């Protein structure tokens, strides 16, 4: 498996088509950077979209989709999260997911995200939204943090 950089719009479109509440519209992400994951056949199997970047507040939002959990290796997750934390120097990543999306919530928690609250009707007709956050220090101390201070973030 390998990461795909530099094809932000197509990767964001791929994610949007797999997330019910985006309305199949990557434009709903606004300006975004996206990192795709392809298997050995070159088939897309997962992707992450980073949007709503707030340099002043050192914060960014994350959305993701996948066709399989096979892409969730420690190495790939580490490299993907290096983009906001090392390249953009963010102190926080926020992820919002429907309360009914139990598997997405479990994945976020396994990645080290902390549940911070519930927005009632945060997804309108799709129901309540659960808000998660991952702080840079938590990422650095967690199992998906940088291997060493020398880890350089890939250009996205």
């Amino acid at each position: 498996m390998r990461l795909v950089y530099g094809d932000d719009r197509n990767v964001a479109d791929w994610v949007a088509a797999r997330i019910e509440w985006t309305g199949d519209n990557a434009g709903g992400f606004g300006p975004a950077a996206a990192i795709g994951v392809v298997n050995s056949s070159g088939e897309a199997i997962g992707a992450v979209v980073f949007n709503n970047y707030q340099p002043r507040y050192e914060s960014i939002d994350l959305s993701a989709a996948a066709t399989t959990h096979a892409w969730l290796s420690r190495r790939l997750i580490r490299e993907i999260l290096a983009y906001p934390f090392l390249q953009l120097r963010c102190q926080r990543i926020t992820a919002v997911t429907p309360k009914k999306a139990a598997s997405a919530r479990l994945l976020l928690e396994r990645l080290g995200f902390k549940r911070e609250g519930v927005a009632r009707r945060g997804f309108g007709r799709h129901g309540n939204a659960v808000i998660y956050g991952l702080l840079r220090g938590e990422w650095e101390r967690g199992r998906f943090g940088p291997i060493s201070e020398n880890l350089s973030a890939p250009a996205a």
Side-chain angles (χ1 to χ4, degrees):
M1 286 179 276
R2 66 179 175 83
L3 297 177
V4 175
Y5 298 98
D7 196 11
D8 298 329
R9 181 61 182 192
N10 287 327
V11 173
D13 285 346
W14 188 90
V15 171
R18 285 156 181 81
I19 298 178
E20 176 183 5
W21 52 93
T22 63
D24 296 329
N25 178 9
F29 289 120
I35 302 171
V37 180
V38 297
N39 63 19
S40 59
S41 302
E43 176 185 5
I45 59 170
V48 176
V49 176
F50 293 102
N51 70 313
N52 195 27
Y53 176 46
Q54 302 291 323
R56 180 176 181 174
Y57 302 110
E58 301 174 318
S59 176
I60 199 163
D61 292 350
L62 172 149
S63 298
T67 60
T68 175
H69 292 290
W71 71 283
L72 294 171
S73 74
R74 184 176 291 185
R75 178 185 67 84
L76 292 180
I77 293 167
R78 182 177 284 129
E79 289 179 28
I80 290 167
L81 293 178
Y83 169 69
F85 286 127
L86 297 182
Q87 186 170 328
L88 298 180
R89 304 214 179 276
C90 287
Q91 295 300 312
R92 173 188 178 78
I93 300 172
T94 302
V96 181
T97 193
K99 188 173 183 182
K100 66 182 181 181
S103 63
R105 292 189 351 256
L106 180 61
L107 173 60
L108 287 168
E109 291 167 10
R110 287 185 175 164
L111 294 176
F113 283 77
K114 306 290 187 228
R115 181 178 168 151
E116 297 178 334
V118 175
R120 295 172 295 144
R121 288 297 192 207
F123 285 107
R125 62 183 168 88
H126 299 291
N128 297 342
V130 182
I131 303 160
Y132 286 89
L134 178 62
L135 303 180
R136 182 180 176 138
E138 295 166 342
W139 171 72
E140 289 173 342
R141 292 185 302 275
R143 66 184 200 191
F144 299 106
I147 296 172
S148 72
E149 293 295 320
N150 297 326
L151 178 64
S152 60

